[in-house]
Amino acid sequence: MKDLFDRYDFHGHRLANRIVMAPMTRSRAADDGTPRPMMVEYYAQRSEAGLIVSEGTNISAQAQGFLYTPGIFTEAHIEAWRRVTAAVHAQGSTFFLQLWHVGRIGHPDNMEAGLHPVAPSALAHPRTIVTRSGPQPTVVPRAMNLDEVKQAIAQYATAARNAIRAGCDGVEIHAANGYLPSQFLHSSSNLRADRYGGGIADRIRFLVEVAQACAAAIGAHRVGVRITPFSAFNGATSPDDEAGLYDQLLAALEDLELGYLHAVTAEVSGNVTLAEAERQKVADVLGFVRPRWRRTLIAAGNFDLERARATIRDGRADLVAFGRDFISNPDLVIRLRHGYPLARRDPAEWYGAGAEGYTDYPRWGVTPSAGAAAQLESAE
Ligand SMILES: Cc1cc2nc3c(=O)[nH]c(=O)nc-3n(C[C@H](O)[C@H](O)[C@H](O)COP(=O)(O)O)c2cc1C
């Protein structure tokens, strides 16, 4: 019988277990997007995971929406990521870099001077973004012209090449959570009249071409795609036919023979688990995706040990990703394996600051140093 702690091999990637560290923005890069040395320690501490997917990493200056998020488009970025991948590989884990373009979910104050957020269409999604002068409402993005669409696709491919130069085992295209590829997918954010908008076949074209370009650049088996079907986070909705959209998307992506698909359950909206009553009503994402995706499938979204094991055993996914629990439990794999209690989640530490709440969570059985952020508790 298949188990969470079994080895898993796919396309030459040899994972020590079926546990994935989910991509998580922690906003600890330098101002210019260069990963700081503490990021080396952070990822190395968590490298008992069979596979680590990095935090969202900007493919270009135009792609950036949030402060202190890392990039993969300068030589300094590549050099710094190389230290991360070397440390993770030394611990025996596999590392995919998540490629991120926020599209309209950004703010000019968080971008290089003169840049303005771009998107498929000039439609804002109302929310606030933290800037150096505090939270500010999003702005109306500028609609990308055809040249800019082509350029963005090419930038994904360059970023994928850069990731491989930095020692990554592959890249994950962030097509989840309402960022740029998702903005192209959905009818509520894409009103284009050219070949990248309109019917489903046209709205999926951007993501399919991005995946093709990355596959051509580094090999299809090194490319994964992350999606959040049936989640309205960041305004990612297709009220006309969301099932039809993902049906056609998965068929098109399957043809590309990619490394994996990473699907997030609809129990989670961004980084928040829905309330119990809401969770009862959401679509069964894995039930939808699995019959349409026979290749490697990663499931994420509100998993605990029991559900993760059942998911693997029943073949509803091949790998299970854990997000929030990996923040406060660097040794999550050991704790799950031995049934040790998990450390408390502390959302106040999630984004942007120093090493506190980042690299100072103790391993099981190690006495927390003075001022350490995590208090061991019996399970939440
Ligand atoms: C602090 C934080 C940052 C996140 N950043 C990203 C990100 O950069 N890219 C992404 O695809 N998902 C991101 N997510 C979502 C997680 O990958 C994951 O899907 C979500 O936390 C649900 O999994 P969990 O219930 O195991 O935490 C983030 C979540 C958290 C808590």
Side-chain angles (χ1 to χ4, degrees), residues 241-325:
D241 187 7
E242 187 147 342
L245 166 66
Y246 280 97
D247 188 46
Q248 282 194 47
L249 175 68
L250 295 184
L253 292 179
E254 266 240 332
D255 288 345
L256 303 185
E257 308 197 333
L258 301 178
Y260 67 77
L261 182 77
H262 190 168
V264 186
T265 69
E267 292 179 27
V268 173
S269 176
N271 60 17
V272 177
T273 304
L274 299 180
E276 172 76 31
E278 292 297 307
R279 289 209 302 276
Q280 305 305 328
K281 291 185 277 182
V282 296
D284 175 8
V285 168
L286 296 183
F288 180 89
V289 170
R290 178 85 275 191
R292 293 171 170 81
W293 190 266
R294 286 170 297 279
R295 310 175 67 80
T296 295
L297 176 62
I298 306 176
N302 203 33
F303 281 91
D304 59 14
L305 175 62
E306 199 183 326
R307 289 182 65 202
R309 282 195 128 144
T311 299
I312 299 290
R313 185 191 60 224
D314 299 344
R316 280 163 60 80
D318 303 297
L319 303 164
V320 173
F322 292 84
R324 291 164 291 182
D325 285 335

Side-chain angles (χ1 to χ4, degrees), residues 27-41 43 54-58 68-85 95 97 166 168 358:
S27 302
R28 269 135 171 125
D31 254 348
D32 68 350
T34 304
R36 288 198 282 162
M38 67 174 145
M39 291 168 62
V40 178
E41 189 183 353
Y43 283 111
S54 82
E55 61 209 277
T57 300
N58 304 309
Y68 311 120
T69 49
I72 186 69
F73 56 91
T74 71
E75 290 303 313
H77 297 159
I78 297 169
E79 191 50 45
W81 278 117
R82 198 172 280 140
R83 295 197 192 101
V84 174
T85 59
F95 192 89
L97 194 80
C168 299
Y358 189 57

